Amino acid sequence: MALASGLLLLTASVTGCSGDSEPTDEPLRAGSFNFDEGRVLSWIFALAFEDGGIEVDTSNLEPGSTREILAPALEEGTIDFVPEYIGSLLDFVGGEAVPDPDVTFAEARSRMLERGVTLLPSAPAQNNNAFVVTRALSE
């Protein structure tokens, strides 16, 4: 069974996106995971914000970090956004992803709101993990 694991953007206070923060002249502080895909996605979002006229501090993007460090950093407001994966995030905060991405997103959003972190709408992209084995091993 494939679990919902679409890409989403976590944000603690992205002005003009979360709707519950005051405008600021400070740059958005980007975060990224410490693997290639995580860093690339963070750079894509950072460049998109900059193209939209929003200054972004990218000093934390290389080499990236772990969810155990990024989640508290979002909660404390030391970073402002990081691209995230719904299923992995929900697992991290004690929930369980299900095949329906809308249900998984709603649960993740609810749990993160309790922590003061807003999940922006999920991207339609999917990133599913799978295990491949020979027929003999599966039997």
Side-chain angles (χ1 to χ4, degrees):
M1 166 174 37
L3 297 180
S5 59
L7 177 69
L8 57 94
L9 184 65
L10 285 177
T11 176
S13 61
V14 175
T15 302
C17 295
S18 66
D20 59 358
S21 60
E22 293 297 318
T24 177
D25 290 332
E26 298 294 317
L28 293 180
R29 295 159 299 180
S32 73
F33 288 104
N34 60 348
F35 57 95
D36 292 339
E37 181 180 327
R39 286 188 296 275
V40 167
L41 289 170
S42 291
W43 276 106
I44 289 171
F45 277 100
L47 292 171
F49 279 125
E50 288 178 343
D51 282 349
I54 299 171
E55 185 180 356
V56 180
D57 174 355
T58 58
S59 62
N60 292 318
L61 295 187
E62 302 294 338
S65 196
T66 64
R67 193 169 278 111
E68 291 78 11
I69 293 171
L70 292 171
L74 280 164
E75 293 171 34
E76 296 163 3
T78 56
I79 62 170
D80 297 309
F81 74 91
V82 62
E84 177 59 282
Y85 301 89
I86 299 171
S88 299
L89 172 66
L90 187 54
D91 182 59
F92 178 75
V93 296
E96 187 173 321
V98 296
D100 185 334
D102 294 331
V103 172
T104 298
F105 177 81
E107 179 66 18
R109 184 175 215 171
S110 174
R111 288 177 182 254
M112 293 308 292
L113 279 174
E114 293 171 2
R115 295 169 174 242
V117 177
T118 301
L119 274 63
L120 298 179
S122 179
Q126 288 290 310
N127 180 2
N128 291 310
N129 296 323
F131 297 96
V132 180
V133 298
T134 64
R135 181 180 304 266
L137 179 59
S138 71
E139 292 170 353

